[in-house]
Each structure stands twice: as C-alpha cells, then as structure tokens.
Amino acid sequence: VKMLRPAYAVDYDYLPAHQLHNTLETKKISGLFFSGQLNGTTGYEEAAGQGLIAGMNAARRAQKKPLIPLSRESSYLGTLIDDLVTKDLREPYRMLTSRSEYRLLLRSDNADARLTPLGREVGLIDDRRWGIFQDKQSKMAGERKRLSQARISESHPICADIAEVSGQAVTKSTTLEEVLRRPHVQYNVLQRHGLGDDTLTQWESEGVEIEIKYAGFISRQTKQIEQLLSKSSKHIPDDIDYYALATLSMESREKLHKVRPKDIGQASRIGGVNPSDISALLVYLEVQRRKEVASASPKLTRGAKVATQSLPRFNWCKSTGASQLVKLRVNWRKSTGVSQLVQVNWCKSTGASQLVRVNW
C-alpha cells in the first residue's frame, strides 16, 4: 500500500476569534461572518452550531434587522461563542459541558424551553413545530400543578414502595410533588400505582420530575444569574481608549484593547484582566457617566437666581422634637454646572446642629 497524500493533516488559515463579535460578525468588516474551523474550533457539532448562528445573523444583517447573540447562560452554543471571542485560545476548541458554569440550567430536557421561543422570534420555527412546543409546555405545566395539589395519606399502598426506594417512611399526608422530591423516587413509581399521567411522553414526564426534584437548586442558580447580570450587563463604549486608563495594568490594557468587550461581564472573563482592573474600569465608566450628566445640565452663572419653589422644604411634626429644614441656599459652578450646597439651617427649637457648608 502506498500513501499518496496525508488526508487529515491539512493546513488552513484561520481567523483569531477575538476579532469577532459574539454574533460571529467580524469587527473590522461589517456584514462578513465566520464560523467553524476558521474560528479555531474542531468537531462537527461545534461547526454546525456556529454555522446556524452565523447564517441567521447574516440573513438578519441583509434584512437590516438587529443581530441576535446567545449569552453564556442561555445555551452551550452561547458558552462556545463567548469563549471563542473572549479567550486567547492556544489549541483547537472543543465544546465540553465542563466549560459552562450554568450546567444545572443547560440541560437536554429543557433545551426546547430555552431556545424555541428565540427560534420562533427570528423565524426559524414554523407553525407546526411551535404548536407541538406549546402543547408540550402546557401539558408539563398542568402536570406540575396537579402534583402540587394531589395528596396521599400515610396508609396509601404507594407508601410502602416509597419507603423501600428512598429509605424514608411516609408518616403523614403529603403531596405527590413532595413524594417526587425524595431520593430515588421516580415518576414511574407514581405510574405503577395509577397516580401518574399516562398521556405524558417519557420526555415530558422526565422533564416534570427533574423540575420538581431539583427545584431548590434551579431556583438558587437562577437567582445567582440574575444578580450577576445586574452587575455584568453594564455596557462599555466601543470607542473607549484603554491605553489612556492609567489605573489599569498594562496587561489588562493590552487584552481589553485586543478583545474590545461589549460589557463588564465579557471583560471580566478575559484572561489577564484582574478583579482590581474591573473595579477600576467600573469607576472610570461611572465618572464618564457623571460628566455626561453634568454637561447636559443647565449651566447657571454666579449670582443667578434659583426659584424658591424648586428647592425642597421639609416640615416635621413639632410634637416629636424632629428638626425642620427652614433654609437652603444653592450655588452653581460655572465649569461643570454642578450645584454646590453651601448652607443649611435647621430648626433651632429642637437643638439640632447647624450644617453650614457642604461641597460636592
């Protein structure tokens, strides 16, 4: 046997994925999308998933519609793309479940619940599939409600099976939902005693069981994501000059300039960017926001009159001895238009101290 040509060791060019947005559109050329091995991945599933997102967004770009990114917490595909465009990869990338920090929510049984509404929104789900999805979700929601309301007594024949499987005896009346939360108790135990819904498919009953059994853990991770998103979704301007931020380390400036993250969450996931750098970046963004607010405020010259109706006045109950704000004077700075509180007199009858100057 004579080998004519190596079949797999084929050299090809690739695009460093940090040059892409998380929509898989290139940062330098609008309307150009890349996917697959060209982005540094290996594997058929990885290429197919990227092709779906790149093709969808290319079509939306042609139709002048907003592009659709997938976040890390929405899917493994979102995790894959976020890793590609954020991290400095040194070897071909494979999508492993261990790469996601939200594995409790990114399950195969709820993939349709997570992504079908988005597919419907962008026109990838036809009426037939949408009807099947809605019917499935309705049946599962109805079964969860039924299980939360239906009760059995401690003398029911199923209690012997529950005690044998879980090692925990049923000592009082309980709901079927609480029964399913017990360890090793599965939905088929209910079905054997006529307490399940035989119209559900295996996938539907399994989905109901998972949602009930792990409800506490799922709720906790959902709250963690909400808290994280409230901090990490802060937008970073595209034209920010990272090299001008002296409070950032030089490595962070280089990495941030190279990747140019869209928000604080993406910036925090870049290798080499420390938490202290993220804090400094947040401070800078807040300072810039305040400057913009100040520049948009009406500027008054020194000596300009301010209508007394616009100044706050607080009248407190005298019987309680609470202080009463009786005088307030405000000066304005010419340079920024920011107000300067210079004098506040408090009601002397209460013996409260008098605040005479505060500079902002």
Side-chain angles (χ1 to χ4, degrees), residues 147-152 173-181:
L147 294 175
S148 67
Q149 297 174 347
R151 305 186 69 87
I152 58 171
S173 175
T174 185
T175 65
L176 296 181
E177 182 182 59
E178 292 170 341
V179 167
L180 273 182
R181 288 203 180 101

Side-chain angles (χ1 to χ4, degrees), residues 318-334:
K318 294 183 180 180
S319 61
T320 63
S323 59
Q324 182 182 27
L325 179 62
V326 294
K327 186 176 182 183
L328 176 65
R329 197 176 77 204
V330 177
N331 288 344
W332 296 83
R333 291 183 181 176
K334 291 183 179 180

Side-chain angles (χ1 to χ4, degrees), residues 113-130:
R114 288 184 283 109
L115 298 175
T116 302
L118 175 61
R120 177 68 172 182
E121 179 184 342
V122 300
L124 297 178
I125 301 296
D126 59 22
D127 292 340
R128 184 187 66 84
R129 290 188 62 185
W130 182 245

Side-chain angles (χ1 to χ4, degrees), residues 183-194:
H184 310 298
V185 177
Q186 299 179 338
Y187 192 84
N188 57 18
V189 175
L190 302 183
Q191 291 178 315
R192 286 202 301 266
H193 292 269

